[in-house]
Amino acid sequence: MQRVHQFTTKFLGWLCIILFVGLVFSTTWQVFSRLVLSSPVTWSEELAKMLFVWLSFLGLAFVYGERGHMAVEFLVLRAPERTQKAFAIWTHVASLILGATALVWGGWNAAMNAWSQNLTALPVNIGSVYLVLPISGLAIVLYALYH
């Protein structure tokens, strides 16, 4: 399980870097073409939206895997150690259930339902945008099992 965790973390980290660089270039090109060339391109804004969605969900999974997610621990830290462990287990079980049901199962259904719908400015279908949901959900499930 340690190898799966290391591979998933490294893969998601590099993928997030690539998506972020693509997002910066797409947004920069949109601003440059609009302000300097006075001829805005339509595809760059749509690409930036798609990259932002993918970056958000994959970044969520990456941060969860690194245990860097936001948590309100004010009351939990004041509890006895046994209660803290119970809350930690409950948090990971809840993440596992949410990742498996809402993201993997629900995300897969959403992607398949939208697979025949096309984006207006890119030669990509909307289902490929939603495909990030089950991918990030699978990563969250793997991380929850690891933790």
Side-chain angles (χ1 to χ4, degrees):
M1 195 67 183
Q2 180 71 24
R3 284 186 180 175
V4 173
H5 178 267
Q6 288 176 341
F7 173 79
T8 306
T9 301
K10 187 175 266 192
F11 179 75
L12 284 178
W14 279 106
L15 190 56
C16 286
I17 290 169
I18 292 167
L19 290 171
F20 185 73
V21 168
L23 178 62
V24 168
F25 280 132
S26 175
T27 306
T28 303
W29 178 252
Q30 173 66 21
V31 172
F32 179 78
S33 67
R34 184 172 9 107
L35 297 178
V36 176
L37 302 177
S38 297
S39 178
V41 291
T42 56
W43 60 264
S44 63
E45 183 178 347
E46 205 162 74
L47 178 63
K49 288 178 188 177
M50 183 177 167
L51 291 173
F52 183 72
V53 169
W54 273 74
L55 182 61
S56 297
F57 279 96
L58 294 177
L60 164 82
F62 178 77
V63 170
Y64 176 72
E66 292 293 301
R67 291 188 178 195
H69 56 282
M70 185 171 57
V72 180
E73 299 176 326
F74 178 73
L75 293 175
V76 176
L77 292 177
R78 297 186 188 282
E81 186 175 333
R82 186 176 172 132
T83 306
Q84 289 181 17
K85 285 183 181 182
F87 271 112
I89 291 170
W90 179 80
T91 301
H92 293 303
V93 169
S95 297
L96 178 83
I97 292 169
L98 177 72
T101 57
L103 292 175
V104 174
W105 182 74
W108 181 258
N109 288 334
M112 292 303 106
N113 287 337
W115 203 260
S116 61
Q117 302 171 12
N118 292 324
L119 292 171
T120 55
L122 290 175
V124 176
N125 58 27
I126 295 176
S128 63
V129 177
Y130 292 154
L131 201 57
V132 73
L133 293 168
I135 293 170
S136 65
L138 181 62
I140 288 173
V141 166
L142 290 173
Y143 282 134
L145 290 173
Y146 175 77
H147 293 307

